Amino acid sequence: EPRPWLYPPDMETPMSAVQQVEQVISNFLFCWFNGTVPYDIEHKTVGWTPRLDGGLIIEHELVVADNVVARMICGVRNRIVIRLREHVNRILSERWNAKVELY
């Protein structure tokens, strides 16, 4: 027998906006790195600033205890971190219909 929906039909996700940011970043970290590396990376949102043009500036921190892991996630000339920012900006901008800038 079908049960009633737990969430309203217009709700896309039960996660808060901060949880969505963390989930998108985690997805990329787990796709790009293997072994224990994704588990060695702690990350959290430390700033959230709405812009006057309707956009959003999100400050997010990646924390690692090991220099080797830090070099891995930064890549040559910070290319991996830059790529991560670009992908997360694009995904969240599309999802929320607002310009998102992750720092």
Side-chain angles (χ1 to χ4, degrees):
E1 172 177 325
R3 295 182 301 169
W5 289 94
L6 295 176
Y7 303 104
D10 59 338
M11 179 184 265
E12 292 182 19
T13 178
M15 292 190 295
S16 70
V18 172
Q19 289 172 322
Q20 290 180 52
V21 172
E22 291 173 354
Q23 184 64 41
V24 171
I25 291 172
S26 289
N27 285 344
F28 281 108
L29 293 175
F30 278 93
C31 286
W32 292 350
F33 300 102
N34 55 19
T36 62
V37 173
Y39 298 101
D40 294 338
I41 304 168
E42 293 181 29
H43 59 96
K44 63 181 176 181
T45 301
V46 294
W48 193 275
T49 309
R51 295 175 46 144
L52 294 176
D53 64 358
L56 184 62
I57 296 174
I58 301 171
E59 296 172 51
H60 200 81
E61 223 174 53
L62 298 174
V63 180
V64 295
D66 187 352
N67 283 340
V68 174
V69 176
R71 286 191 300 248
M72 286 175 67
I73 64 170
C74 287
V76 176
R77 295 189 203 127
N78 291 328
R79 279 210 183 273
I80 295 175
V81 172
I82 292 168
R83 210 167 96 206
L84 177 68
R85 280 181 50 201
E86 291 170 351
H87 285 300
V88 173
N89 288 345
R90 181 183 50 80
I91 288 172
L92 294 177
S93 293
E94 290 172 1
R95 184 177 291 175
W96 297 338
N97 294 321
K99 183 179 179 185
V100 175
E101 294 180 42
L102 181 73
Y103 290 101

